[in-house]
């Protein structure tokens, strides 16, 4: 299993369930710290649009997002995490 990372903070585990072109999908198992990111993740997948001005540049900077597996980290786009704990992301 992979871990979703924001900078050096592990937010949760990811179990990959599928791939489509450049996108990777899976089940997301949040750690307690993930509650601090809840508003950001909800806004990213909101169908009414995303207002970047509401969030810190630190969250918006894709250079700060990674997945870690077996001690190796790989950069990803800002992850889309849905209410049903599904995640979608693409590698940078």
């Amino acid at each position: 299993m992979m871990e979703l990372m924001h900078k050096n903070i592990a937010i949760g585990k990811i179990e990959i369930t599928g791939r489509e072109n450049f996108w990777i999908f899976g089940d997301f198992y949040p750690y307690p710290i993930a509650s601090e990111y809840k508003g950001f993740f909800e806004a990213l997948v909101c169908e009414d649009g995303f207002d970047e001005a509401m969030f810190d540049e630190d969250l918006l900077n894709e250079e700060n997002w990674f997945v870690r597996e077996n001690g190796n980290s790989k950069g990803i786009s800002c992850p889309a995490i849905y209410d049903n704990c599904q995640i979608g992301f693409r590698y940078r």
Side-chain angles (χ1 to χ4, degrees), residues 23-38:
W23 285 93
I24 299 162
F25 302 97
D27 296 324
F28 180 67
Y29 302 95
Y31 297 148
I33 191 82
S35 63
E36 295 182 21
Y37 294 85
K38 185 174 171 55

Side-chain angles (χ1 to χ4, degrees), residues 56-71:
D56 186 280
E57 286 184 34
D58 201 44
L59 288 173
L60 299 169
N61 185 347
E62 289 193 345
E63 298 291 320
N64 293 330
W65 292 99
F66 301 89
V67 289
R68 181 171 62 191
E69 186 174 33
N70 300 324

Side-chain angles (χ1 to χ4, degrees), residues 37-47 49-50 55 81-83:
Y37 294 85
K38 185 174 171 55
F40 178 68
F41 292 140
E42 286 175 347
L44 277 176
V45 298
C46 177
E47 293 187 17
F50 179 71
F55 299 98
I81 299 177
Y82 300 89
D83 287 338

